[in-house]
Amino acid sequence: MKSIALALAAGMALAGCRTIPPAPVGPELLLTGVGRFAVFADLSTRTRSGDHARLRSLQVVEPGFEVDGKAFWGGWSWWTFDCAARTADRLDFASVSEGGIEGPAMPDTDPAYPAAPGGDAAELLAAACSDARPGPVLRTVESAVIAGQQALAE
């Protein structure tokens, strides 16, 4: 009887010690384009349902960008895409001030529009609608801001 109790206790202890790989935590930021801004797709937020996709993007501004004396790194936006029709719909914008503090999201009520080749929307659509990762994936907003600002300076 004593050996059965010990075996049960050992089994319960081992069951509590299973190793489960951790889920990725934080963003997976892929640079999708550089123009007026450096734009990153956060692949960790990408979801697909049929021809429709959704993801969050980070828009990085040049160093020293200020509004009313307050320094900003850029902003986040949620997007939805119709991969078959090649349309994009920016849903909102939330500023990111220096240091990574995110402001409230402001809705973007403009309707979906065709994603013009070479534009930010088309580049984000490609990241949302494809599994390809053409470039390094950055894991922090700070590293994306540094890389984005370097790209803007080139």
Side-chain angles (χ1 to χ4, degrees), residues 42-125:
D42 183 355
L43 301 177
S44 73
T45 65
R46 181 176 53 187
T47 58
R48 263 313 277 274
S49 178
D51 286 335
H52 299 277
R54 176 181 162 99
L55 67 70
R56 196 174 191 207
S57 72
L58 177 65
Q59 174 181 300
V60 175
V61 296
E62 73 276 358
F65 183 89
E66 291 186 1
V67 175
D68 292 333
K70 185 174 182 180
F72 285 88
W73 283 351
W76 286 105
S77 290
W78 278 103
W79 293 76
T80 59
F81 304 94
D82 184 321
C83 302
R86 302 204 43 83
T87 59
D89 188 4
R90 183 177 177 171
L91 304 176
D92 64 5
F93 179 81
S95 65
V96 177
S97 61
E98 191 173 89
I101 299 165
E102 191 173 327
M106 303 301 295
D108 183 329
T109 58
D110 290 340
Y113 58 92
D120 292 341
E123 292 164 340
L124 288 169
L125 182 143

